[in-house]
Amino acid sequence: MRPIRLDMSGFTVFRDDTTVDFTDTDYFALVGPTGSGKSTVLDAITFALYGTVPRWGGARGIANALAPSAAEAKVRLVFESAGDRYVATRVVRRDGRGNVKTAGAGLQLMPTGFDVTKLDTGMDLDDLGQVLAGTPAEMDDAILGAVGLPYEQFTSCVVLPQGQFADFLHAKPAVRQQILVNLLGLRVYEDVQQRAVARERTATDKLGVIDQQLAGLADATDEAVEAADRRLTRMRELTAAVEESVPGLRAARAAETEAAQARDALDAELRALVAVRTPEGSAEIAGATAAARASAAEAAKEVRVAEEREEKVRGELAAAGDAGSLKLMLDRHAELDRLLDQAEWFAGEVQVAEVEFKDALAAAELAHGAHLGATQLLEQARLDYTEAQRIDRAAALRAHLAPGDHCPVCEQTVTSVPAMPEGSAVSAAEATGKAARAAAEVAESGWKQRDAVARKLEGNLERKRAQHEHHLARLTEVRGVVAGSPGVPALQRQVAEIDSLQRKLDQAGAAVRTARECQRRAQAATDQAQERERAAWRTFDQVRDRVARFGPPPADRDDLAAAWSTLVEWAGGEHRGRARERDAADARVSTAHEAAVHAYATIAALFTEAGVTPPARREGSGEADLIRAAAVAATTAEGDRNKVADLRDRARELSEQRMTLQRDGRVAKALAGHLRANNFERWLLEEALDLLVDGASRILRELTGGQYDLVHDRGEFYVIDHHDAGLRRAVRTLSGGETFQASLALALALSEQLAGMSTTAASLESIVLDEGFGTLDAATLDVVAATLENLAARGDRMVGLVTHVTALAERVPVRFEVTKDARSARVERVGL
């Protein structure tokens, strides 16, 4: 796996859109202050591929992907693996409840020659190539197929993060063996052994099936094919003989059909003639029609009589006058009596209202006089009070002073107000004024109340007078209306007479309606009788039309019974003559039928002689059935012959397949046995581990100045300390700096040597180191730098570093400087 381009947005410290372009980069370094986001670049590569990062503690730490206060994080990685270019994308979002989940993930195989700079245009995912995965669940298998390594092995061999640099060095033998199996593609040999076993089992199963099929084909021999050929020849001869005999049978059947058609024609004529019969009730239909017409005429006469009677009563009612006007005049007489009775009552009401108003008006005038007297007393009290104030001004001033006020006479501050002297005229006048004011207020209130009662009674008097005047006007009006009336008794007699005439008119109208209903029923009965007569004639015409081709005599259209009698008598004579012709036609049919039966029997004998059951004679069968039966027999014989030949060929083919399966089964069994017996995969792993340790030991000697060699024993790693008399030590006893040197040597050996032996997509096309360089002394650092430069110089590996060491970074041709401000981290490419 070799990264080409990395795009980040909202990812941890990279809040803003950030792109890291690794194009044409073989050797690079990520440099920058501590905490600036250098390791985050490697985290983004791992996250885009596997959806998690080692230092997050698993998939549950996905919330760490979001930048502070960001709602979405997006990472997109373009990378190459085994010659193909892919793009992996992951999107993380925070929902309304604060939960962080993967909102989208996808892997696409990009088309050849795709320009990654087009990603700057914001292309949709569908434009990036063939979709290999579209959901987070599909990503695991898709990434494993593209990269060739699962997450744990990727972080041990390709991107070595902080804290896990020595994972491969300290891994258990089983884990390390699994990494090498994936790297070298050695699982293919296990697959070959399993497929060989499966192929042997399949061959055995197929042999059993073929043996069963061959047992069922024991009769499929050359002799059986020859017998089928002979039967096919006989059936073809039968077909030719039947085709030669069929014309005679066809002629006999045609003669039989012609004779039968002549007989059937006579039968049809006889059936038509015998159907000519006089319907029941034909003689009574004409009489019923005449009776119905007479009843309808009588009903029409009754309607005319009833209508004349009704018209006479209507004239008498019109001459008697208008009952409504007479009843209205009676109502006016009754109203006049009622108004005369109410006249005296209305006059009394007016008199009572006048007396009540006069009494209330007098009381109001008295109260008004008392109010005027009280007002005069109050005015005199005010004059007396004013005069007392003029005579005793000091007493008048005291009434308006209070302690602390400014005296208007001496212009000094009043400390205390002297008491009013006894017998003061001002006090007496003031008391008299208050009593006069109270009396005036009481008198005014009494006057206003009595005045209001008088005004109310005055309004009531006006209303009573208006009602009385309206009553007198209405009385005069009603007297004028009844002035020319003949009187109540005469009016009542006229109304009674009109009511009597109205009842007679109602009775006459009911009689008219009854007569009209009787006329309607009589006319309906007449129409029904006439329709029955017309239907009877239509029946006659239909029967006569059915025998019209025989020339029946003309019919009398005025007498239905006579017409039927003439037609029935004629049909009887015609029937007797055709009955004699029918007997002769039946004899001709019998003779033709015997000839057809003989011709059919001759053809049936041909089938019997050929060993074929002749087709059974049935209604509707013809010459084509015989020809078809012969053709079917020939076709069946040909099919049987071909089937036997195919079975014979199938038996030969199965025999050849059986020999091939036996040979393939023996080969598969031998291959499976060899792979299982020789432990081929284990041998390859041991060889690969030997090569890996030899390469790592060479690099470690260079890094340690010849102090350490790396060896392995039963899958465990050891170092040989040449500074301690060749002591063998477990790698876990090394110091931090020594562990880094051993891990680096092992990682470089993995990248440099084992990639060339890999047979799968898990080729180690890049290696990125993220720790430990600060622990090296200057000499060792120089050796490490030279080693990495030599590895990168080969051009087939991308080598990446994350370092704080300036001396090492300056020797790297391409540097990505990572900086960070209060908002976001940034990456800038410098160098070549």
PDB file of all heavy atoms in Angstrom, residues 392-401 407-409:
ATOM      1  N   ASP A 392     -64.603  90.514  62.667  1.00  0.00           N
ATOM      2  CA  ASP A 392     -63.558  89.839  63.464  1.00  0.00           C
ATOM      3  C   ASP A 392     -62.595  89.140  62.493  1.00  0.00           C
ATOM      4  O   ASP A 392     -62.670  87.948  62.245  1.00  0.00           O
ATOM      5  CB  ASP A 392     -64.203  88.840  64.424  1.00  0.00           C
ATOM      6  CG  ASP A 392     -63.200  88.315  65.450  1.00  0.00           C
ATOM      7  OD1 ASP A 392     -61.996  88.687  65.359  1.00  0.00           O
ATOM      8  OD2 ASP A 392     -63.597  87.490  66.303  1.00  0.00           O
ATOM      9  N   ARG A 393     -61.631  89.950  61.861  1.00  0.00           N
ATOM     10  CA  ARG A 393     -60.714  89.409  60.852  1.00  0.00           C
ATOM     11  C   ARG A 393     -59.718  88.441  61.473  1.00  0.00           C
ATOM     12  O   ARG A 393     -59.287  87.473  60.844  1.00  0.00           O
ATOM     13  CB  ARG A 393     -59.961  90.546  60.157  1.00  0.00           C
ATOM     14  CG  ARG A 393     -60.858  91.403  59.300  1.00  0.00           C
ATOM     15  CD  ARG A 393     -60.042  92.435  58.546  1.00  0.00           C
ATOM     16  NE  ARG A 393     -60.896  93.247  57.675  1.00  0.00           N
ATOM     17  CZ  ARG A 393     -61.277  92.895  56.473  1.00  0.00           C
ATOM     18  NH1 ARG A 393     -60.863  91.765  55.993  1.00  0.00           N
ATOM     19  NH2 ARG A 393     -62.053  93.705  55.779  1.00  0.00           N
ATOM     20  N   ALA A 394     -59.286  88.716  62.763  1.00  0.00           N
ATOM     21  CA  ALA A 394     -58.303  87.817  63.408  1.00  0.00           C
ATOM     22  C   ALA A 394     -58.877  86.412  63.544  1.00  0.00           C
ATOM     23  O   ALA A 394     -58.216  85.399  63.257  1.00  0.00           O
ATOM     24  CB  ALA A 394     -57.906  88.380  64.770  1.00  0.00           C
ATOM     25  N   ALA A 395     -60.126  86.330  63.995  1.00  0.00           N
ATOM     26  CA  ALA A 395     -60.749  85.010  64.134  1.00  0.00           C
ATOM     27  C   ALA A 395     -60.891  84.334  62.775  1.00  0.00           C
ATOM     28  O   ALA A 395     -60.736  83.110  62.630  1.00  0.00           O
ATOM     29  CB  ALA A 395     -62.108  85.161  64.812  1.00  0.00           C
ATOM     30  N   ALA A 396     -61.160  85.160  61.748  1.00  0.00           N
ATOM     31  CA  ALA A 396     -61.294  84.575  60.384  1.00  0.00           C
ATOM     32  C   ALA A 396     -59.978  84.020  59.885  1.00  0.00           C
ATOM     33  O   ALA A 396     -59.929  82.979  59.230  1.00  0.00           O
ATOM     34  CB  ALA A 396     -61.830  85.671  59.452  1.00  0.00           C
ATOM     35  N   LEU A 397     -58.871  84.729  60.198  1.00  0.00           N
ATOM     36  CA  LEU A 397     -57.568  84.245  59.743  1.00  0.00           C
ATOM     37  C   LEU A 397     -57.166  82.958  60.450  1.00  0.00           C
ATOM     38  O   LEU A 397     -56.506  82.083  59.885  1.00  0.00           O
ATOM     39  CB  LEU A 397     -56.503  85.322  59.970  1.00  0.00           C
ATOM     40  CG  LEU A 397     -56.604  86.549  59.044  1.00  0.00           C
ATOM     41  CD1 LEU A 397     -55.572  87.605  59.443  1.00  0.00           C
ATOM     42  CD2 LEU A 397     -56.353  86.132  57.587  1.00  0.00           C
ATOM     43  N   ARG A 398     -57.487  82.867  61.776  1.00  0.00           N
ATOM     44  CA  ARG A 398     -57.091  81.673  62.532  1.00  0.00           C
ATOM     45  C   ARG A 398     -57.654  80.384  61.914  1.00  0.00           C
ATOM     46  O   ARG A 398     -57.038  79.328  61.977  1.00  0.00           O
ATOM     47  CB  ARG A 398     -57.581  81.796  63.989  1.00  0.00           C
ATOM     48  CG  ARG A 398     -56.861  82.808  64.794  1.00  0.00           C
ATOM     49  CD  ARG A 398     -57.482  82.900  66.181  1.00  0.00           C
ATOM     50  NE  ARG A 398     -56.954  84.018  66.937  1.00  0.00           N
ATOM     51  CZ  ARG A 398     -57.400  84.379  68.132  1.00  0.00           C
ATOM     52  NH1 ARG A 398     -58.389  83.712  68.710  1.00  0.00           N
ATOM     53  NH2 ARG A 398     -56.867  85.441  68.772  1.00  0.00           N
ATOM     54  N   ALA A 399     -58.789  80.506  61.354  1.00  0.00           N
ATOM     55  CA  ALA A 399     -59.429  79.288  60.799  1.00  0.00           C
ATOM     56  C   ALA A 399     -58.614  78.692  59.655  1.00  0.00           C
ATOM     57  O   ALA A 399     -58.775  77.525  59.327  1.00  0.00           O
ATOM     58  CB  ALA A 399     -60.845  79.619  60.341  1.00  0.00           C
ATOM     59  N   HIS A 400     -57.704  79.504  59.059  1.00  0.00           N
ATOM     60  CA  HIS A 400     -56.949  79.045  57.888  1.00  0.00           C
ATOM     61  C   HIS A 400     -55.475  78.827  58.181  1.00  0.00           C
ATOM     62  O   HIS A 400     -54.692  78.587  57.271  1.00  0.00           O
ATOM     63  CB  HIS A 400     -57.077  80.062  56.740  1.00  0.00           C
ATOM     64  CG  HIS A 400     -58.489  80.306  56.324  1.00  0.00           C
ATOM     65  ND1 HIS A 400     -59.221  79.420  55.604  1.00  0.00           N
ATOM     66  CD2 HIS A 400     -59.327  81.357  56.558  1.00  0.00           C
ATOM     67  CE1 HIS A 400     -60.429  79.897  55.377  1.00  0.00           C
ATOM     68  NE2 HIS A 400     -60.526  81.095  55.972  1.00  0.00           N
ATOM     69  N   LEU A 401     -55.030  78.986  59.488  1.00  0.00           N
ATOM     70  CA  LEU A 401     -53.623  78.840  59.826  1.00  0.00           C
ATOM     71  C   LEU A 401     -53.368  77.516  60.522  1.00  0.00           C
ATOM     72  O   LEU A 401     -54.256  76.952  61.161  1.00  0.00           O
ATOM     73  CB  LEU A 401     -53.177  80.002  60.724  1.00  0.00           C
ATOM     74  CG  LEU A 401     -53.121  81.396  60.061  1.00  0.00           C
ATOM     75  CD1 LEU A 401     -52.733  82.461  61.101  1.00  0.00           C
ATOM     76  CD2 LEU A 401     -52.127  81.409  58.905  1.00  0.00           C
ATOM     77  N   CYS A 407     -47.508  83.907  58.679  1.00  0.00           N
ATOM     78  CA  CYS A 407     -48.637  84.779  58.995  1.00  0.00           C
ATOM     79  C   CYS A 407     -48.704  85.908  57.979  1.00  0.00           C
ATOM     80  O   CYS A 407     -47.699  86.604  57.753  1.00  0.00           O
ATOM     81  CB  CYS A 407     -48.483  85.369  60.415  1.00  0.00           C
ATOM     82  SG  CYS A 407     -49.848  86.474  60.852  1.00  0.00           S
ATOM     83  N   PRO A 408     -49.909  86.089  57.286  1.00  0.00           N
ATOM     84  CA  PRO A 408     -50.014  87.143  56.277  1.00  0.00           C
ATOM     85  C   PRO A 408     -50.059  88.555  56.863  1.00  0.00           C
ATOM     86  O   PRO A 408     -49.914  89.533  56.119  1.00  0.00           O
ATOM     87  CB  PRO A 408     -51.322  86.797  55.574  1.00  0.00           C
ATOM     88  CG  PRO A 408     -52.115  86.063  56.577  1.00  0.00           C
ATOM     89  CD  PRO A 408     -51.146  85.317  57.433  1.00  0.00           C
ATOM     90  N   VAL A 409     -50.250  88.675  58.221  1.00  0.00           N
ATOM     91  CA  VAL A 409     -50.361  90.013  58.837  1.00  0.00           C
ATOM     92  C   VAL A 409     -48.998  90.486  59.321  1.00  0.00           C
ATOM     93  O   VAL A 409     -48.491  91.537  58.922  1.00  0.00           O
ATOM     94  CB  VAL A 409     -51.380  89.988  59.980  1.00  0.00           C
ATOM     95  CG1 VAL A 409     -51.456  91.360  60.675  1.00  0.00           C
ATOM     96  CG2 VAL A 409     -52.747  89.598  59.444  1.00  0.00           C
TER      97      VAL A 409
END
